[in-house]
Amino acid sequence: MDTQKNSSFIFSVLVLFFILFRSTFSLLDHGSQGHSLSKLFLFGDSYLDTGNNNFTVRCWKFPYGIAVPGVPTGRYSDGLIFTDFLASFMGIDSPLPYTQWINLSKSRVAIGMNFAHGGTGVFDTWMKEGNMTTQINSFKQYIADGVYNQRDLDESIAVVSNAGNDYTQYYAGNRGTHEGYPAFVAKVIDQLELNLREIKQTGVKKVVMLTMQPLGCLPNKAKTLSYEKCDKPLNNDTIFHNMLLQKAVQRLNSETTDSPFHILDLYGAFMSVINKQGGGADYSGIDKTGSAPLLKPCCTPTAKKALCGSVDANGVKLYTLCENPNDSLFWDLYHPTQSGWQEIFTSLTPSFDEVMQYNSQLNIYPRRPSASVATS
């Protein structure tokens, strides 16, 4: 009975959520409905996940989701995330999480599906289910079952995120060393290259890979610097990952005649927003409003090992919330706020628009993003 009640509640929340989304997206529309790519498939982690993790995970608990629609929706943010702005730009609703598809009509499948799981990587992490290979296999099963046909795939674009969970597992879970880091990065990129190739072999028209965001600027690392500076050595490690990723994508495109693999420079977009809000390329200290360190999250833990949303045995909150999340770039120790994601996606809009309009017959390549992966 409790399971039925929970399922009913979650489904009701989802219905409300998508009603609100439609009205929200009307404000975000970038006029790209004319693009021929009308289906979006997503693979990766929390930067794309819109609710695939089970309901015990913190992204399903208060205060997550307080912006839109006002209750948790399985997104690691106070509201919308990168996926939602991406879908809006394409002129479609945000594709639903595949774990919830059983409760929905097939008409919802027409716009694509989200296979991303928060906390996962290309290898197994502390989130034992849903690594990228598992996600791709689920997608392939949907194709085998006839949920998607070749025409669907011809009109589709896949977006992939690898935001660093493999490296968290490497250091914290596997006790990896910094000396062994370069070799482990190579393993991650090799597996990621296999995954990208497998996604394309399903028949998807284009595959877009996000570079890894500047790990040294995330609040979980910036907190050791009073949330006022990025950890430059860790950002350099991130740059190394992104350089190998670019080479992998170049190799993949060398195997084809239409160069279907693309990169979106998420690292550069993050740094562009940070430098803009911080007052310059040498950002250090307080943001332009003068109210708080730019890298401090809105939802800030107040106890050791606590996270956003943590409570003690008596239900007492082990975190504080800022007055207005729209004034914060980051929501928690790892993820942007809804307003932060909007700024980041806006920075990437020209690059993604070129990917959408890429003409393989003329062999026209998208221009490189203005913010280089080598930004530090």
Side-chain angles (χ1 to χ4, degrees):
M1 183 64 70
D2 288 342
T3 300
Q4 292 177 339
K5 287 181 178 180
N6 288 338
S7 298
S8 178
F9 170 76
I10 293 299
F11 185 71
S12 297
V13 168
L14 286 170
V15 171
L16 172 62
F17 181 76
F18 286 108
I19 290 174
L20 290 172
F21 252 22
R22 284 183 178 277
S23 61
T24 302
F25 282 162
S26 67
L27 300 175
L28 301 175
D29 182 22
H30 294 276
S32 295
Q33 291 88 340
H35 291 307
S36 60
L37 297 176
S38 57
K39 294 172 179 60
L40 175 62
F41 297 98
L42 302 121
F43 305 89
D45 46 47
S46 58
Y47 274 25
L48 300 178
D49 184 5
T50 54
N52 275 316
N53 278 343
N54 67 65
F55 302 136
T56 65
V57 179
R58 62 192 173 95
C59 58
W60 283 103
K61 301 176 182 178
F62 183 85
Y64 287 83
I66 60 174
V68 178
V71 294
T73 60
R75 287 162 170 77
Y76 289 81
S77 180
D78 61 318
L80 308 181
I81 64 170
F82 185 85
T83 298
D84 304 309
F85 292 102
L86 187 68
S88 175
F89 184 83
M90 292 177 62
I92 62 175
D93 290 338
S94 191
L96 297 180
Y98 81 101
T99 56
Q100 298 167 21
W101 176 71
I102 192 171
N103 295 321
L104 302 166
S105 67
K106 283 194 174 183
S107 61
R108 284 288 184 188
V109 177
I111 57 174
M113 198 169 290
N114 192 331
F115 294 91
H117 272 273
T120 64
V122 296
F123 301 126
D124 285 343
T125 64
W126 61 95
M127 301 291 291
K128 295 304 180 184
E129 72 282 352
N131 69 24
M132 197 175 293
T133 298
T134 303
Q135 296 169 26
I136 296 169
N137 287 340
S138 296
F139 178 44
K140 291 166 69 175
Q141 188 60 53
Y142 276 56
I143 297 172
D145 291 343
V147 177
Y148 297 108
N149 57 34
Q150 188 57 53
R151 181 175 178 180
D152 293 323
L153 298 173
D154 287 340
E155 299 173 349
S156 67
I157 183 169
V159 176
V160 183
S161 169
N162 181 244
N165 293 319
D166 291 294
Y167 300 122
T168 300
Q169 180 69 30
Y170 170 74
Y171 281 117
N174 301 338
R175 298 184 180 181
T177 64
H178 193 262
E179 290 74 19
Y181 174 80
F184 183 70
V185 174
K187 291 181 180 180
V188 170
I189 297 300
D190 285 347
Q191 183 60 48
L192 192 52
E193 184 175 346
L194 291 174
N195 289 342
L196 294 176
R197 182 181 288 108
E198 190 133 2
I199 292 172
K200 183 62 183 70
Q201 287 175 346
T202 65
V204 169
K205 188 73 172 178
K206 298 181 183 180
V207 181
V208 176
M209 183 70 217
L210 303 180
T211 63
M212 196 161 65
Q213 76 285 10
L215 295 180
C217 296
L218 300 186
N220 74 309
K221 290 300 180 182
K223 68 180 178 181
T224 62
L225 301 169
S226 301
Y227 298 114
E228 293 182 353
K229 296 181 180 179
C230 299
D231 183 322
K232 287 189 176 181
L234 187 54
N235 276 358
N236 288 335
D237 288 345
T238 310
I239 290 169
F240 179 68
H241 166 101
N242 289 337
M243 287 186 350
L244 294 189
L245 174 63
Q246 287 181 318
K247 292 179 180 179
V249 170
Q250 290 171 356
R251 285 195 298 271
L252 289 168
N253 279 329
S254 70
E255 300 172 0
T256 71
T257 57
D258 58 349
S259 298
F261 297 93
H262 305 271
I263 285 182
L264 276 186
D265 186 11
L266 192 63
Y267 183 105
F270 264 78
M271 293 306 301
S272 175
V273 173
I274 289 171
N275 292 332
K276 177 182 176 182
Q277 294 188 8
D282 296 322
Y283 164 72
S284 174
I286 308 300
D287 70 6
K288 287 184 177 181
T289 67
S291 59
L294 177 60
L295 304 180
K296 183 177 182 179
C298 174
C299 188
T300 307
T302 57
K304 189 176 181 179
K305 295 185 178 181
L307 297 169
C308 176
S310 295
V311 296
D312 66 15
N314 298 316
V316 177
K317 296 177 182 178
L318 300 178
Y319 62 92
T320 60
L321 283 178
C322 65
E323 185 174 343
N324 184 2
N326 289 333
D327 293 335
S328 297
L329 173 59
F330 288 103
W331 166 245
D332 60 16
L333 293 176
Y334 304 93
H335 308 94
T337 57
Q338 172 178 294
S339 61
W341 272 128
Q342 185 170 18
E343 288 290 321
I344 291 165
F345 183 77
T346 298
S347 178
L348 285 170
T349 296
S351 296
F352 187 68
D353 190 47
E354 290 178 350
V355 171
M356 293 288 290
Q357 299 188 39
Y358 172 77
N359 188 334
S360 61
Q361 290 183 342
L362 296 178
N363 203 30
I364 299 174
Y365 289 79
R367 294 192 305 272
R368 292 176 58 84
S370 58
S372 169
V373 170
T375 304
S376 61

